[in-house]
Amino acid sequence: MSKVLVIDTSLRPLDPIHPAQARQLLRNGKAAIFRRFPFTLILKQARPETSVQPLRIKIDPGAKKTGIAIVNDITGIVVFAAELQHRGFAIRESLTSRRQLRRSRRNRKTRYRQPRFDNRKRSNGWLAPSLMSRIHNIETWVKKLIQLVPITAMSQELVRFDTQLMQNPDIQGKEYQQGTLAGYETREYLLEKFGRKCAYCDKQDLPLQIEHIAPRAKGGSNRISNLALSCEKCNLKKGTKDIKEFLKKDPVRLKKIEAQAKKPLADTAAVNAARFKLLEVLKSTGLPVETGSGGLTKFNRTRQNLEKTHWIDAAVVGKSTPEKLIISCVKPLSIQAVGHGSRQSCRTNKYGFPSRHVPREKIHFGFQTGDIVKAVVKTGKKVGTYVGKVAVRSSGSFNISTKNGLVQGISHKFCKRIHAKHGYSYAV
Ligand SMILES: [Zn+2]
């Protein structure tokens, strides 16, 4: 079990506690549940000011999932971990669908008018809605956690590789191979440069080796411009042959690899606009933000023999990572961004024809679709206790999707909300 978050009577975050201690507090009536996700207690009695241990929130932003970890830099304990699943594709799809509906409606209803498609401007630093949604998701969660945990610093993975480390001319050939930080940075760089495939046969998803374009045996250097990635088969086949001789029969590929190898670092350094935007957002919270490279993340993870998951990657981001992370008791919270529903009040069928009307009112009897409720039914056919997400009806007869399937026709009178809908759903 991960630790349990605690806040005091004036909503200030305290040191997270062990679940056993949390159970005891609840049993003795000294604390109440403040929030289910992430599980947080609130103390019932004010207690004397005590100092709290500073914690660091660490983020590994990904396209589909973002890893979040809260780490104690001094003890190395991972206090809390989560994996946040974004809804990038869902946003793109719903925008496309809206665009198509509007287009067809306009075609049906409007006389011909000349297109005026370039009369809109995008502000500086504009990012696609699907990318912004990821940034907003992370921002929401960082701000949420800052309120519940005594966080004093942040770490974010910013770039895939650190170019400064690689350009260091002191690095010798062996070091590229033997698990040094510079080696990891170089590998990440080459993976990016050669598109994660063998430079000689384009094979993907197999272990790739670092290979010298002009072989060492014939005076080739260890400079990064002389390195390529190849599968074991191609590497053996090439051996100590020069690239010109090896690719005699494939002049097109020869030209391509030579051009690729010579490309200066700055050009290939994958500058990821969304990650830089996220950095800006994190800095705006006022806490110090440390950034790390993907190479460093991988180096830290392999050095400690940790599994590759999103939240572990987050926990090992940056130079501040403790020598030994204690992760044995962590169960990451799995969070899924599901959005806040649609503003459409006229839903369409799959052909785009209006098919049903959605009432403007979203809240019925104090409940909203998406709330997690507990219903204790004592009379009638549906006697039992049901916990799950509720779908509200204006009639007051709700549906609850529980772990064991959908239960229909539960009266609002039996329901008690245990978690308000706020755009995220959870799996434990
Ligand atoms: Zn190959």
Side-chain angles (χ1 to χ4, degrees), residues 198 200-201 203 230-231 234:
C198 171
Y200 301 107
C201 68
K203 268 196 191 132
S230 90
C231 64
C234 293

Side-chain angles (χ1 to χ4, degrees), residues 197-204 206 208 229-235 237 246 253:
K197 53 193 177 186
C198 171
Y200 301 107
C201 68
D202 289 342
K203 268 196 191 132
Q204 269 174 319
L206 74 178
L208 294 171
L229 282 179
S230 90
C231 64
E232 193 177 6
K233 220 171 135 194
C234 293
N235 200 357
K237 222 159 104 191
F246 181 61
R253 188 180 291 272

Side-chain angles (χ1 to χ4, degrees), residues 117-393:
F117 54 85
D118 54 358
N119 60 354
R120 278 164 185 70
K121 254 191 206 148
R122 278 173 180 171
S123 56
N124 254 347
W126 178 91
L127 286 176
S130 52
L131 297 180
M132 276 321 284
S133 129
R134 280 177 219 161
I135 293 170
H136 291 320
N137 288 162
I138 299 172
E139 186 186 8
T140 303
W141 272 91
V142 166
K143 286 187 172 163
K144 228 186 251 292
L145 288 168
I146 284 178
Q147 289 182 339
L148 304 175
V149 195
I151 287 169
T152 54
M154 297 189 203
S155 303
Q156 185 209 336
E157 188 181 299
L158 185 65
V159 284
R160 296 225 181 277
F161 43 84
D162 187 344
T163 44
Q164 274 182 346
L165 264 170
M166 286 182 303
Q167 275 169 326
N168 179 3
D170 299 335
I171 297 174
Q172 293 302 306
K174 270 186 201 160
E175 290 182 24
Y176 283 130
Q177 316 279 355
Q178 289 171 354
T180 60
L181 177 55
Y184 276 95
E185 301 283 6
T186 310
R187 258 191 90 78
E188 284 303 303
Y189 166 71
L190 291 173
L191 281 168
E192 201 68 27
K193 192 174 183 182
F194 290 94
R196 298 183 182 266
K197 53 193 177 186
C198 171
Y200 301 107
C201 68
D202 289 342
K203 268 196 191 132
Q204 269 174 319
D205 299 321
L206 74 178
L208 294 171
Q209 302 175 338
I210 292 180
E211 196 264 344
H212 291 83
I213 294 172
R216 292 286 290 150
K218 292 188 179 152
S221 78
N222 269 324
R223 290 197 74 94
I224 202 135
S225 55
N226 189 37
L227 299 177
L229 282 179
S230 90
C231 64
E232 193 177 6
K233 220 171 135 194
C234 293
N235 200 357
L236 284 175
K237 222 159 104 191
K238 184 167 174 278
T240 57
K241 273 186 221 155
D242 192 75
I243 185 166
K244 288 199 177 87
E245 194 192 329
F246 181 61
L247 290 177
K248 232 178 348 200
K249 289 174 189 159
D250 195 350
V252 182
R253 188 180 291 272
L254 174 67
K255 224 172 163 186
K256 194 177 132 203
I257 294 176
E258 279 184 329
Q260 245 172 349
K262 270 193 204 120
K263 236 193 234 170
L265 281 173
D267 288 356
T268 31
V271 176
N272 188 325
R275 285 183 169 204
F276 276 87
K277 188 95 171 184
L278 175 64
L279 179 63
E280 263 173 48
V281 169
L282 293 182
K283 276 183 176 163
S284 72
T285 58
L287 294 178
V289 187
E290 166 204 52
T291 59
S293 68
L296 179 59
T297 303
K298 212 168 179 179
F299 174 70
N300 284 341
R301 173 162 46 78
T302 3
R303 201 180 42 170
Q304 299 199 23
N305 268 325
L306 298 170
E307 223 183 316
K308 179 168 172 56
T309 62
H310 292 279
W311 69 271
I312 288 181
D313 264 359
V316 294
V317 163
K319 285 203 185 95
S320 66
T321 306
E323 280 296 312
K324 184 89 193 102
L325 276 177
I326 301 167
I327 59 158
S328 50
C329 55
V330 181
K331 256 193 202 152
L333 175 66
S334 140
I335 310 164
Q336 196 186 358
V338 289
H340 293 271
S342 145
R343 286 198 186 85
Q344 256 179 3
S345 58
C346 176
R347 300 283 156 90
T348 55
N349 64 12
K350 63 177 175 178
Y351 305 108
F353 286 106
S355 72
R356 58 202 183 280
H357 181 73
V358 184
R360 189 152 293 178
E361 195 59 61
K362 275 188 169 179
I363 295 171
H364 297 290
F365 305 96
F367 295 93
Q368 187 173 186
T369 296
D371 287 348
I372 297 172
V373 299
K374 182 177 181 181
V376 184
V377 184
K378 286 189 180 138
T379 53
K381 278 185 201 167
K382 306 246 162 71
V383 172
T385 303
Y386 310 100
V387 179
K389 224 188 268 174
V390 73
V392 298
R393 302 282 176 268

